Amino acid sequence: MTPPPSPSDGDFSTLFNFLPIGAYRSLPDGLMLRANQALVRLNGYEDEAQLLQGVRDIASEWYVQPGRRAEFVAILIRDGFIKGFVSEIWRHKTRERVWISENAHVVRNGSGEVVFYEGTVEDITDRIRVQEALRQSQEQLKRITDQMPGMVFSLYQPREGPRRYHFVSSGVRDIYEFEPEDLLRDPMLITRYRHPDHAHELELEVDAVMQAPVSLSSEFRVVMPDGRIKWVYKRSSAVEFDSEGTRRVGVLLDITDRKEAEAALHASETLWKLALESAGDGVWDWNIRTGEEFFSTSIKAMFGYADDDIANLSAELDARTHPDDVAQMQLDRQAHFDGLVPVYRNEHRIRCKDGGWKWVLSRGVVIARDDNGQPLRMVGTHADITELKQAEAQQHALEVQLRESQKMEAIGTLAGGVAHDFNNLLAAILGNLVLAREDVGEHHPAQESLAEISRAAIRARQLVQQILTFSRRQTQEMQRQPLKPLVEEALGLMRSLLPAGLKLVTRLPSSSLQVLADATQIQQVLMNLCTNAWQSMEGGSGDITVALREVRLDASQALQLGGLSSGAYACLSVADNGPGIDVETQRRIFEPFFTTKAPGAGTGLGLAVVHGIVKAHRGVIDLHSQPGEGTRFDVYLPLAAAAEAADTPAVMADVSSAPAPLPGKHVVYIDDYEALVFLVGRLLRKQGHQATTFESGEAAIDWMRMHPDVPVDLVVSDQNMPGLSGVETAIEIHRLRPGLKIAIISGHVNDRLLTEASAAGVSEVMGKQDSMDALGEAIRGLLESAA
């Protein structure tokens, strides 16, 4: 059939070809009549004539989904136009799959007959992939929170109007026995379950979160529809706060079992009798009405007094009771007098004759009351528990250190894993940005937006590097070297950064103090501690003192510092005369993302990174501070023995600039991250190479087995993948093709990996590159060395 003559393009022919997105004119049966240059390029052709010659029927040759063209035509015939019709298509010539958005309308003649269709085609592949990445990220968040006990939530509380939940984990079912969608649909549902006795507490919480970006924690009861009572613990923090409202994240935990256990324990405590409690070191008999009190000789001797040094009056020992313990002692007495507890029991300190203090456990019982129930006489015992209290204090300190160590280790492992995945996302974003900026051209209006995205992604990558350092997953270059020059070099830079009014004081030894350390990370420790010190001054004046000295720790000192071995250490101290740090802040100061700065003024990673680096160097960091008396951090690093002269193996650095290799090499690239596989494939092809990519080692091995005659110059594989690892994949490939050059990339290169890779015949083990350019340079160097 001869197509009807088309109207003259007139003055619009240049505009037709100038459009940055595809434009076309076609017959209703799918025969293409016209196509602009953007649509020609989209389909992989050089000019319009090639496209018109190659495309015969759009319906069967273009759309990936069968019947998609029919849906398109149906809407077009019904409405006369169509907007934003999203489909997956084949690039006609290359058969690559891409996503497009179409706009089109029907052109009719004077008789109302359809003459042809006109429309535009926009490549939205990148947008679809970003949306898919976001969906996968949200799905991953859901999978993670589904494994956590309790309900994880994110909500927005405006100053006017009801709250809105943005995320509710599936754990809400375990507490309230309704679905996450129920709470998303009715944000006030959860408040109607709260016990009436806690209604006022809820009002106070709402008022508090609207006043400031506070963190809250509380325990309260909820009433289930069937009348059951549950106890719930809630903790939440503000992540955004402004004049319009606040966004908060938090967690709810069912603590009913714990509360019931506590109640059962309290109820089941048996009443003990005085005869079973009177095996202490001294006996007293108190006439409550007159104040007279008989003290056995052993009680007075317990505190170093002779029998006539203390009168037999209750006021005598009360006057020698530590001031901090008096109030609780009186409360415990009164509780027994009022019949609230069957036996009086209290621990307090009493001043000895030599001025020291002893802890005593005082137990007693009222044995006589008047007709009104008022106590008349009470007898009991004092037991010296000083050594027990000291042992408890030491044990508590060690338990706190152990818990903190375990917590930091767990958080470090989680942070390292999250940062590793996030690094892959950033690599894909930054790599696609480079390609996108090349694709749109230097003067394209999108360049400004792409540049802003690039800056934000680079800042995110720097934050990931801090997280990896905190989690000790960054590759370390440990070398035996003098510590003093490293400190002097960092101080030289620090002097130029200090604000006006702050003075840097140094106290360095004459000896160099040899340590086994990563120079960059040790200098980062010093810079972070100094920065933390001057920021604590809050713009005022003061001194920051940096000292370095050699110390020898005995077994007791080493244990108190956190389980070090006794021996010689270098102690690097950073002290300031700022406002100091309270006890509660000291307890959390090394937690990642914990900060006392205003929102947006800090990430809370500085001291967490310091903690991670110091622990990775087999050292510890100790904190000394009192409110109003300044702060001092002491970093202990083991001194290197002469036998440690050999440096630890270093990871192969990124290949620096090198001449361009001969094109036409065949590279097989393996990585379980789909976006990175796609990006590296594009990079290699732009460099003139043939690239065959796989998302698993198993798939690559199957391809090798099925294509034994296809030449391959290089295999590059990620190490950490589901199924076969990079090393296991290399072993299988070498069985099929002995002598083939294989390189492995890992975000955590260590001695074990290097040994296993060498045994598997791997040629190179590389750390994760910071950019696509660095990866390209590294692959280029590997190809040249294989030539």
Side-chain angles (χ1 to χ4, degrees):
M1 181 181 80
T2 303
S6 60
S8 172
D9 289 325
D11 293 334
F12 292 98
S13 59
T14 56
L15 175 62
F16 181 76
N17 280 305
F18 181 75
L19 286 174
I21 62 176
Y24 67 89
R25 179 179 295 160
S26 72
L27 292 179
D29 62 4
L31 179 65
M32 187 74 69
L33 299 177
R34 290 296 311 274
N36 72 345
Q37 286 303 307
L39 187 57
V40 169
R41 290 192 299 270
L42 175 65
N43 281 280
Y45 290 99
E46 297 295 330
D47 54 47
E48 184 182 20
Q50 290 183 3
L51 175 62
L52 297 181
Q53 179 66 29
V55 178
R56 310 311 302 167
D57 183 358
I58 294 175
S60 61
E61 299 174 5
W62 210 27
Y63 293 94
V64 173
Q65 180 183 352
R68 191 62 174 162
R69 171 69 177 182
E71 295 176 27
F72 176 83
V73 171
I75 297 173
L76 202 55
I77 294 302
R78 184 193 67 197
D79 301 334
F81 66 90
I82 191 168
K83 292 183 178 180
F85 190 80
V86 176
S87 306
E88 188 178 19
I89 68 165
W90 304 100
R91 293 189 194 274
H92 192 271
K93 183 176 181 181
T94 64
R95 306 310 290 167
E96 295 177 80
R97 292 164 70 147
V98 295
W99 286 90
I100 61 167
S101 174
E102 293 185 80
N103 300 310
H105 69 272
V106 176
V107 178
R108 301 177 184 271
N109 59 21
S111 302
E113 297 176 332
V114 177
V115 180
F116 45 74
Y117 301 155
E118 289 181 337
T120 61
V121 179
E122 181 181 4
D123 186 344
I124 61 170
T125 304
D126 289 343
R127 185 197 313 166
I128 294 295
R129 286 177 176 152
V130 168
Q131 292 172 351
E132 178 61 16
L134 178 60
R135 186 195 65 76
Q136 291 179 355
S137 177
Q138 292 172 337
E139 182 64 23
Q140 184 181 34
L141 174 62
K142 181 179 182 302
R143 288 197 299 268
I144 292 173
T145 55
D146 284 347
Q147 304 306 312
M148 298 176 62
M151 163 187 154
V152 179
F153 66 89
S154 170
L155 65 83
Y156 181 77
Q157 178 71 62
R159 294 193 178 276
E160 300 293 338
R163 66 180 65 179
R164 300 190 299 273
Y165 283 89
H166 294 162
F167 176 79
V168 177
S169 73
S170 61
V172 69
R173 301 191 198 101
D174 299 330
I175 302 175
Y176 292 96
E177 300 175 3
F178 53 69
E179 297 298 319
E181 294 75 18
D182 297 332
L183 187 55
L184 292 170
R185 184 170 50 252
D186 181 5
M188 301 307 295
L189 176 62
I190 199 169
T191 62
R192 293 195 285 271
Y193 277 66
R194 187 171 287 213
H195 195 285
D197 291 351
H198 300 291
H200 182 61
E201 296 174 12
L202 178 61
E203 294 175 1
L204 294 178
E205 288 178 357
V206 174
D207 290 340
V209 301
M210 300 311 298
Q211 297 298 321
V214 296
S215 295
L216 296 176
S217 62
S218 62
E219 297 179 355
F220 55 88
R221 288 168 293 171
V222 297
V223 183
M224 305 303 293
D226 59 2
R228 286 177 296 136
I229 302 294
K230 287 186 177 183
W231 276 94
V232 176
Y233 169 78
K234 180 176 77 172
R235 180 174 180 83
S236 67
S237 300
V239 294
E240 290 179 7
F241 183 86
D242 55 33
S243 59
E244 300 298 324
T246 178
R247 187 164 71 88
R248 302 180 65 79
V249 296
V251 62
L252 298 181
L253 300 174
D254 186 342
I255 58 170
T256 305
D257 290 343
R258 193 197 82 193
K259 284 290 188 178
E260 290 177 351
E262 290 174 352
L265 178 63
H266 179 74
S268 65
E269 284 183 344
T270 58
L271 300 178
W272 60 90
K273 296 181 179 180
L274 182 60
L276 300 178
E277 294 284 322
S278 62
D281 294 339
V283 177
W284 48 267
D285 186 344
W286 178 21
N287 186 325
I288 299 173
R289 177 168 293 177
T290 66
E292 296 176 312
E293 186 169 2
F294 164 77
F295 300 113
S296 67
T297 303
S298 56
I299 285 184
K300 297 181 180 181
M302 184 186 305
F303 308 115
Y305 297 106
D307 187 51
D308 56 358
D309 287 340
I310 298 179
N312 289 324
L313 297 171
S314 61
E316 288 291 330
L317 281 189
D318 285 355
R320 290 169 171 80
T321 300
H322 196 287
D324 293 346
D325 302 337
V326 171
Q328 187 61 49
M329 180 179 69
Q330 293 174 342
L331 287 173
D332 290 342
R333 281 181 185 171
Q334 193 61 46
H336 178 55
F337 290 167
D338 294 342
L340 301 178
V341 292
V343 176
Y344 163 70
R345 188 181 190 280
N346 177 262
E347 296 177 358
H348 56 270
R349 288 161 288 182
I350 293 180
R351 187 177 68 249
C352 300
K353 187 173 183 177
D354 61 6
W357 296 92
K358 277 193 175 182
W359 277 96
V360 296
L361 169 61
S362 182
R363 292 170 289 192
V365 63
V366 172
I367 61 173
R369 295 179 180 267
D370 63 17
D371 294 339
N372 297 321
Q374 295 301 310
L376 298 176
R377 184 183 174 194
M378 186 177 183
V379 297
T381 63
H382 277 343
D384 184 352
I385 60 171
T386 304
E387 291 184 359
L388 176 62
K389 296 294 285 187
Q390 291 173 344
E392 286 178 350
Q394 185 175 9
Q395 181 181 359
H396 177 71
L398 292 174
E399 289 174 351
V400 168
Q401 288 179 352
L402 177 60
R403 285 196 298 271
E404 288 299 309
S405 174
Q406 292 171 337
K407 179 174 67 177
M408 297 296 285
E409 192 72 27
I411 294 176
T413 301
L414 175 62
V418 172
H420 174 79
D421 291 342
F422 194 41
N423 229 2
N424 283 339
L425 290 172
L426 287 173
I429 291 171
L430 286 168
N432 276 296
L433 276 171
V434 172
L435 296 174
R437 297 183 75 173
E438 292 178 358
D439 291 343
V440 302
E442 181 179 356
H443 302 292
H444 195 279
Q447 283 287 1
E448 183 177 356
S449 298
L450 292 173
E452 286 299 318
I453 296 173
S454 179
R455 279 189 285 271
I458 290 172
R459 174 69 184 98
R461 187 175 65 190
Q462 292 170 346
L463 181 60
V464 170
Q465 298 308 310
Q466 289 194 64
I467 295 175
L468 287 171
T469 301
F470 156 70
S471 65
R472 302 185 300 283
R473 294 201 174 188
Q474 284 291 78
T475 303
Q476 290 181 314
E477 295 186 10
M478 304 288 280
Q479 298 180 352
R480 187 176 186 273
Q481 55 191 310
L483 181 58
K484 179 181 175 183
L486 299 181
V487 173
E488 290 174 333
E489 182 179 344
L491 291 176
L493 177 60
M494 199 67 211
R495 284 190 175 91
S496 63
L497 299 177
L498 282 180
L502 294 181
K503 179 182 178 183
L504 185 61
V505 180
T506 59
R507 297 173 183 168
L508 306 181
S510 57
S511 58
S512 59
L513 300 182
Q514 295 284 327
V515 293
L516 189 64
D518 182 306
T520 301
Q521 291 189 352
I522 292 300
Q523 290 181 330
Q524 183 180 0
V525 166
L526 182 54
M527 296 289 285
N528 282 10
L529 291 177
C530 288
T531 300
N532 195 70
W534 71 256
Q535 287 179 344
S536 71
M537 307 288 192
E538 298 181 347
S541 60
D543 295 345
I544 298 176
T545 302
V546 177
L548 180 63
R549 68 187 190 278
E550 179 180 349
V551 297
R552 288 197 168 271
L553 302 178
D554 58 28
S556 175
Q557 292 171 320
L559 181 63
Q560 291 177 0
L561 284 171
L564 292 177
S565 301
S566 58
Y569 288 81
C571 180
L572 175 62
S573 301
V574 176
D576 64 67
N577 52 6
I581 306 172
D582 60 57
V583 174
E584 179 62 23
T585 302
Q586 289 185 44
R587 187 179 64 83
R588 302 186 58 195
I589 199 164
F590 294 112
E591 290 184 12
F593 308 110
F594 172 75
T595 178
T596 58
K597 301 182 180 70
T603 63
L605 277 175
L607 290 177
V609 168
V610 167
H611 183 277
I613 292 174
V614 172
K615 187 166 185 179
H617 282 72
R618 296 182 299 159
V620 297
I621 182 168
D622 196 24
L623 169 62
H624 304 273
S625 185
Q626 290 287 341
E629 298 181 7
T631 301
R632 188 181 83 246
F633 288 93
D634 292 330
V635 175
Y636 292 87
L637 300 174
L639 291 179
E644 294 176 338
D647 297 334
T648 56
V651 180
M652 187 192 80
D654 288 346
V655 178
S656 59
S657 60
L662 293 176
K665 299 294 186 180
H666 185 187
V667 179
V668 171
Y669 183 80
I670 310 167
D671 197 303
D672 62 305
Y673 184 40
E674 179 183 1
L676 201 57
V677 169
F678 172 78
L679 187 59
V680 173
R682 286 190 62 188
L683 172 69
L684 291 171
R685 295 182 189 106
K686 287 189 70 173
Q687 291 180 345
H689 303 304
Q690 179 185 353
T692 304
T693 58
F694 301 96
E695 295 178 19
S696 70
E698 292 87 343
I701 293 167
D702 289 343
W703 183 88
M704 290 273 189
R705 189 177 291 114
M706 295 172 61
H707 300 83
D709 298 328
V710 177
V712 175
D713 300 290
L714 174 67
V715 175
V716 179
S717 174
D718 187 33
Q719 167 62 12
N720 298 314
M721 299 183 294
L724 294 179
S725 67
V727 170
E728 292 167 340
T729 301
I731 293 172
E732 295 300 320
I733 289 177
H734 272 153
R735 288 175 180 168
L736 298 173
R737 299 198 182 190
L740 178 58
K741 189 175 183 68
I742 301 178
I744 287 178
I745 298 176
S746 173
H748 189 198
V749 179
N750 52 36
D751 291 344
R752 178 179 177 181
L753 175 58
L754 292 171
T755 301
E756 292 177 351
S758 177
V762 173
S763 304
E764 300 288 347
V765 177
M766 303 184 295
K768 286 277 187 180
Q769 283 74 23
D770 289 339
S771 67
M772 285 295 103
D773 288 342
L775 179 58
E777 291 293 335
I779 292 176
R780 179 181 296 133
L782 291 170
L783 287 171
E784 291 180 349
S785 65

